[in-house]
Amino acid sequence: FHTRKLLQLKCMLLLLTFLWSVWGQPPDYEEKWFVQPVDHFNKGLKLTWNQRYLVWEGVFEVGGPLFFYTGNEADIVTFWNNTGFVMEIAVRFKALVVFAEHRYYGKSYPFGISFVGFLFSFLSSVQTDRCYCRIPPY
């Protein structure tokens, strides 16, 4: 009797390990880029940069919602890989998922990777909010 229970427990653990490896991983995304102005408020400054965002259309149905995740202070892929709740509810609601990277983080640097003097003036929540508003709609 004891051996049978132990075997059942091992089989259950093996099954759970398999399911985690299949379902525990975030879905593959499509990496996209969008040209943004460095300064959304000074129309005389014509500098631009490329902002990265990730898209998953895997379960999306026309008429479904858009779940938009605003990036934090790190590479957006880190959040993609660790925000399972968004993916879970996207499946339930047949949603399109978009994760936008925060300016000055990940691969979304307006001036490369150098942080000098006045460049920090463009790193603000107001500038970032404007960036998120300009991501192309789906």
Side-chain angles (χ1 to χ4, degrees):
F1 175 78
H2 179 67
T3 306
R4 178 183 273 177
K5 288 288 185 186
L6 189 58
L7 183 59
Q8 287 174 342
L9 180 60
K10 285 182 179 178
C11 287
M12 182 62 78
L13 287 173
L14 184 61
L15 177 62
L16 289 173
T17 302
F18 170 74
L19 291 176
W20 174 253
S21 70
V22 173
W23 293 333
Q25 303 298 317
D28 291 333
Y29 55 82
E30 182 180 355
E31 181 180 82
K32 296 188 175 202
W33 297 87
F34 183 70
V35 177
Q36 294 278 17
V38 168
D39 188 344
H40 290 282
F41 305 100
N42 180 355
K43 301 303 178 194
L45 186 62
K46 300 294 183 193
L47 297 173
T48 61
W49 61 285
N50 293 318
Q51 182 176 14
R52 179 171 65 155
Y53 63 104
L54 311 177
V55 177
W56 180 52
E57 299 176 351
V59 295
F60 178 63
E61 290 182 4
V62 175
L66 165 67
F67 292 167
F68 186 77
Y69 185 94
T70 57
N72 303 355
E73 291 80 11
D75 189 303
I76 196 63
V77 174
T78 301
F79 297 105
W80 183 273
N81 290 333
N82 293 290
T83 311
F85 176 70
V86 174
M87 304 310 168
E88 290 173 22
I89 61 173
V91 170
R92 180 174 179 199
F93 290 97
K94 310 289 189 236
L96 173 68
V97 177
V98 176
F99 276 46
E101 191 161 65
H102 195 294
R103 58 174 38 211
Y104 285 89
Y105 292 94
K107 294 180 180 178
S108 296
Y109 289 102
F111 298 99
I113 58 170
S114 60
F115 289 99
V116 290
F118 79 97
L119 302 180
F120 278 115
S121 66
F122 302 113
L123 175 58
S124 70
S125 60
V126 177
Q127 292 284 354
T128 300
D129 288 345
R130 289 293 171 114
C131 289
Y132 293 150
C133 290
R134 289 178 40 87
I135 296 290
Y138 282 83

Coordinates of all heavy atoms in Angstrom, one line a residue, residues 13-53:
L13 N 3.7 14.6 -9.0 CA 4.7 15.6 -9.0 C 5.3 15.8 -10.5 O 5.5 16.9 -10.9 CB 5.8 15.3 -8.0 CG 5.5 15.5 -6.6 CD1 6.6 15.0 -5.7 CD2 5.2 17.0 -6.3
L14 N 5.5 14.6 -11.1 CA 5.9 14.7 -12.5 C 4.9 15.4 -13.4 O 5.3 16.2 -14.2 CB 6.2 13.2 -13.0 CG 6.8 13.1 -14.4 CD1 8.1 13.8 -14.5 CD2 6.9 11.7 -14.8
L15 N 3.7 15.1 -13.2 CA 2.6 15.8 -14.0 C 2.6 17.3 -13.7 O 2.6 18.1 -14.7 CB 1.3 15.2 -13.7 CG 0.1 15.9 -14.5 CD1 0.2 15.8 -16.0 CD2 -1.2 15.3 -14.0
L16 N 2.7 17.7 -12.5 CA 2.7 19.1 -12.1 C 4.0 19.8 -12.7 O 3.9 20.9 -13.2 CB 2.6 19.3 -10.6 CG 1.3 18.9 -10.0 CD1 1.4 19.0 -8.5 CD2 0.2 19.9 -10.5
T17 N 5.1 19.1 -12.7 CA 6.3 19.7 -13.2 C 6.2 19.9 -14.7 O 6.5 21.0 -15.3 CB 7.5 18.8 -12.9 OG1 7.6 18.6 -11.5 CG2 8.8 19.4 -13.5
F18 N 5.6 18.9 -15.4 CA 5.3 19.1 -16.8 C 4.4 20.2 -17.1 O 4.6 21.1 -18.0 CB 4.8 17.8 -17.4 CG 4.3 17.9 -18.8 CD1 5.2 18.0 -19.9 CD2 2.9 18.0 -19.1 CE1 4.7 18.2 -21.2 CE2 2.5 18.2 -20.4 CZ 3.4 18.3 -21.4
L19 N 3.3 20.3 -16.4 CA 2.3 21.4 -16.6 C 2.9 22.7 -16.4 O 2.7 23.7 -17.1 CB 1.1 21.2 -15.7 CG 0.2 20.0 -16.1 CD1 -1.0 19.8 -15.1 CD2 -0.3 20.1 -17.5
W20 N 3.7 22.9 -15.3 CA 4.4 24.1 -15.0 C 5.3 24.5 -16.2 O 5.4 25.7 -16.6 CB 5.2 24.1 -13.7 CG 6.0 25.4 -13.5 CD1 7.3 25.5 -13.6 CD2 5.4 26.6 -13.2 NE1 7.6 26.8 -13.4 CE2 6.5 27.5 -13.2 CE3 4.1 27.1 -13.0 CZ2 6.3 28.9 -12.9 CZ3 4.0 28.5 -12.7 CH2 5.1 29.3 -12.7
S21 N 6.0 23.5 -16.7 CA 7.0 23.8 -17.8 C 6.2 24.3 -19.1 O 6.7 25.1 -19.9 CB 7.9 22.6 -18.1 OG 7.1 21.6 -18.8
V22 N 5.0 23.8 -19.3 CA 4.2 24.2 -20.5 C 3.5 25.5 -20.2 O 3.5 26.4 -21.0 CB 3.3 23.0 -20.9 CG1 2.3 23.5 -22.0 CG2 4.1 21.8 -21.3
W23 N 2.7 25.5 -19.1 CA 1.9 26.7 -18.8 C 2.5 27.7 -18.0 O 2.0 28.9 -17.9 CB 0.6 26.2 -18.2 CG -0.3 25.4 -19.1 CD1 -0.3 25.4 -20.4 CD2 -1.2 24.4 -18.7 NE1 -1.2 24.5 -20.9 CE2 -1.8 23.8 -19.8 CE3 -1.6 23.8 -17.4 CZ2 -2.7 22.8 -19.8 CZ3 -2.5 22.8 -17.4 CH2 -3.1 22.3 -18.6
G24 N 3.6 27.4 -17.3 CA 4.2 28.4 -16.4 C 5.0 29.4 -17.1 O 5.5 30.4 -16.6
Q25 N 5.3 29.2 -18.4 CA 6.1 30.2 -19.2 C 5.2 31.2 -19.9 O 4.1 30.9 -20.3 CB 6.9 29.4 -20.3 CG 7.7 28.3 -19.8 CD 8.8 28.8 -18.8 OE1 9.4 29.8 -19.1 NE2 9.0 28.2 -17.7
P26 N 5.7 32.5 -19.9 CA 4.9 33.5 -20.6 C 4.9 33.2 -22.1 O 5.8 32.5 -22.6 CB 5.6 34.8 -20.3 CG 7.0 34.4 -20.0 CD 6.9 33.0 -19.4
P27 N 3.8 33.6 -22.8 CA 3.8 33.4 -24.3 C 4.9 34.2 -25.0 O 5.4 35.2 -24.5 CB 2.4 33.9 -24.6 CG 2.0 34.9 -23.6 CD 2.7 34.4 -22.3
D28 N 5.2 33.8 -26.2 CA 6.1 34.5 -27.0 C 5.5 35.9 -27.4 O 4.2 35.9 -27.6 CB 6.4 33.7 -28.3 CG 7.3 32.5 -28.0 OD1 8.0 32.5 -27.0 OD2 7.2 31.6 -28.8
Y29 N 6.3 36.9 -27.5 CA 5.8 38.2 -27.9 C 6.4 38.6 -29.2 O 7.4 38.1 -29.7 CB 6.1 39.2 -26.8 CG 7.6 39.3 -26.5 CD1 8.5 40.0 -27.2 CD2 8.1 38.6 -25.4 CE1 9.8 40.0 -26.9 CE2 9.4 38.6 -25.1 CZ 10.3 39.3 -25.8 OH 11.6 39.3 -25.5
E30 N 5.8 39.7 -29.8 CA 6.4 40.3 -31.0 C 7.0 41.6 -30.5 O 6.3 42.4 -29.9 CB 5.3 40.5 -32.0 CG 5.9 41.2 -33.3 CD 4.8 41.4 -34.4 OE1 3.7 41.0 -34.2 OE2 5.2 42.0 -35.4
E31 N 8.3 41.8 -30.8 CA 8.9 43.1 -30.4 C 8.7 44.1 -31.5 O 8.9 43.8 -32.6 CB 10.4 42.9 -30.2 CG 11.2 44.1 -29.7 CD 12.6 43.8 -29.5 OE1 13.4 43.8 -30.6 OE2 13.0 43.6 -28.4
K32 N 8.2 45.3 -31.1 CA 8.0 46.4 -32.0 C 8.6 47.7 -31.5 O 9.0 47.8 -30.3 CB 6.5 46.6 -32.2 CG 5.8 45.4 -32.8 CD 4.4 45.7 -33.2 CE 3.8 44.5 -33.9 NZ 2.6 44.9 -34.7
W33 N 8.8 48.6 -32.4 CA 9.4 49.9 -32.1 C 8.5 51.0 -32.6 O 7.9 50.9 -33.6 CB 10.8 50.0 -32.7 CG 11.7 49.0 -32.1 CD1 11.9 47.7 -32.6 CD2 12.6 49.1 -31.0 NE1 12.8 47.0 -31.8 CE2 13.2 47.9 -30.8 CE3 12.8 50.2 -30.1 CZ2 14.2 47.7 -29.8 CZ3 13.8 50.0 -29.1 CH2 14.4 48.7 -29.0
F34 N 8.6 52.2 -31.9 CA 7.8 53.3 -32.3 C 8.6 54.6 -32.1 O 9.3 54.7 -31.1 CB 6.5 53.4 -31.5 CG 5.6 54.5 -31.8 CD1 4.9 54.5 -33.1 CD2 5.4 55.6 -31.0 CE1 4.1 55.5 -33.4 CE2 4.6 56.7 -31.4 CZ 3.9 56.6 -32.6
V35 N 8.6 55.5 -33.1 CA 9.4 56.7 -33.0 C 8.7 57.7 -32.1 O 7.5 58.0 -32.3 CB 9.6 57.3 -34.4 CG1 10.3 58.6 -34.3 CG2 10.4 56.3 -35.3
Q36 N 9.4 58.2 -31.1 CA 8.8 59.1 -30.2 C 9.7 60.4 -30.2 O 10.9 60.4 -30.4 CB 8.9 58.6 -28.7 CG 8.1 57.4 -28.4 CD 6.6 57.8 -28.1 OE1 6.2 58.9 -28.4 NE2 5.9 56.8 -27.6
P37 N 9.0 61.6 -29.9 CA 9.8 62.8 -29.7 C 10.5 62.7 -28.4 O 10.0 62.2 -27.4 CB 8.8 63.9 -29.7 CG 7.5 63.3 -29.4 CD 7.6 61.8 -29.8
V38 N 11.7 63.3 -28.3 CA 12.5 63.3 -27.0 C 11.7 64.2 -26.0 O 11.6 63.8 -24.9 CB 13.9 63.9 -27.2 CG1 14.6 64.2 -25.9 CG2 14.7 62.8 -28.0
D39 N 11.2 65.3 -26.5 CA 10.4 66.2 -25.6 C 9.0 66.4 -26.3 O 8.9 66.9 -27.4 CB 11.1 67.5 -25.5 CG 10.5 68.5 -24.5 OD1 9.3 68.2 -24.1 OD2 11.2 69.4 -24.1
H40 N 8.0 65.9 -25.6 CA 6.6 66.0 -26.1 C 6.1 67.5 -26.0 O 5.0 67.7 -26.5 CB 5.7 65.1 -25.3 CG 6.0 63.7 -25.5 ND1 5.5 63.0 -26.7 CD2 6.6 62.7 -24.8 CE1 5.9 61.8 -26.7 NE2 6.6 61.6 -25.5
F41 N 6.7 68.4 -25.3 CA 6.2 69.7 -25.0 C 6.9 70.8 -25.7 O 6.4 71.9 -25.8 CB 6.2 69.9 -23.5 CG 5.4 68.8 -22.8 CD1 6.1 67.8 -22.1 CD2 4.0 68.8 -22.7 CE1 5.4 66.8 -21.5 CE2 3.4 67.8 -22.1 CZ 4.0 66.8 -21.5
N42 N 8.1 70.6 -26.2 CA 8.8 71.6 -26.9 C 8.8 71.2 -28.4 O 9.7 70.4 -28.9 CB 10.3 71.7 -26.4 CG 11.1 72.7 -27.1 OD1 10.7 73.3 -28.1 ND2 12.3 72.9 -26.7
K43 N 7.9 71.7 -29.2 CA 7.8 71.4 -30.6 C 9.0 71.8 -31.4 O 9.2 71.4 -32.5 CB 6.5 71.9 -31.2 CG 5.3 71.5 -30.5 CD 5.2 69.9 -30.5 CE 3.9 69.5 -29.7 NZ 3.9 68.1 -29.4
G44 N 9.8 72.8 -30.9 CA 11.0 73.3 -31.6 C 12.1 72.3 -31.5 O 13.0 72.3 -32.4
L45 N 12.1 71.4 -30.6 CA 13.2 70.4 -30.4 C 12.7 69.2 -31.3 O 11.8 68.5 -31.0 CB 13.3 69.9 -29.0 CG 14.5 69.0 -28.7 CD1 15.8 69.6 -29.0 CD2 14.4 68.6 -27.2
K46 N 13.5 68.9 -32.4 CA 13.0 67.9 -33.3 C 13.7 66.5 -33.1 O 13.7 65.7 -34.0 CB 13.4 68.3 -34.8 CG 12.7 69.6 -35.1 CD 11.1 69.4 -35.2 CE 10.5 70.7 -35.6 NZ 9.1 70.7 -35.4
L47 N 14.3 66.3 -32.0 CA 15.0 65.0 -31.7 C 14.0 63.9 -31.4 O 13.0 64.2 -30.8 CB 15.9 65.2 -30.5 CG 17.1 66.1 -30.6 CD1 17.8 66.3 -29.2 CD2 18.0 65.7 -31.6
T48 N 14.3 62.7 -32.0 CA 13.4 61.6 -31.8 C 14.2 60.4 -31.3 O 15.5 60.4 -31.3 CB 12.7 61.2 -33.0 OG1 13.6 60.9 -34.0 CG2 11.8 62.3 -33.5
W49 N 13.5 59.4 -30.9 CA 14.2 58.1 -30.4 C 13.2 57.0 -30.6 O 12.0 57.2 -30.9 CB 14.6 58.2 -29.0 CG 13.5 58.4 -28.0 CD1 12.8 59.6 -27.8 CD2 12.8 57.5 -27.2 NE1 11.8 59.4 -26.9 CE2 11.8 58.1 -26.5 CE3 13.0 56.1 -26.9 CZ2 11.0 57.5 -25.5 CZ3 12.2 55.5 -26.0 CH2 11.2 56.2 -25.3
N50 N 13.6 55.7 -30.5 CA 12.8 54.6 -30.7 C 12.4 53.9 -29.4 O 13.3 53.5 -28.6 CB 13.5 53.5 -31.6 CG 13.7 54.1 -33.0 OD1 12.8 54.7 -33.6 ND2 14.8 53.8 -33.6
Q51 N 11.1 53.8 -29.2 CA 10.6 53.2 -27.9 C 10.2 51.7 -28.3 O 9.5 51.5 -29.3 CB 9.4 53.9 -27.4 CG 8.9 53.3 -26.1 CD 7.8 54.1 -25.5 OE1 7.2 55.0 -26.1 NE2 7.5 53.8 -24.2
R52 N 10.6 50.8 -27.4 CA 10.3 49.4 -27.6 C 9.0 49.1 -26.9 O 8.7 49.6 -25.8 CB 11.4 48.5 -27.1 CG 11.1 47.0 -27.2 CD 12.3 46.2 -26.9 NE 12.7 46.3 -25.5 CZ 13.4 45.4 -24.9 NH1 13.8 44.3 -25.5 NH2 13.8 45.6 -23.6
Y53 N 8.2 48.2 -27.6 CA 7.0 47.6 -26.9 C 6.8 46.2 -27.4 O 7.3 45.8 -28.4 CB 5.8 48.5 -27.1 CG 5.3 48.7 -28.5 CD1 4.1 48.0 -28.9 CD2 5.9 49.6 -29.4 CE1 3.6 48.2 -30.2 CE2 5.4 49.8 -30.6 CZ 4.3 49.1 -31.1 OH 3.8 49.2 -32.3

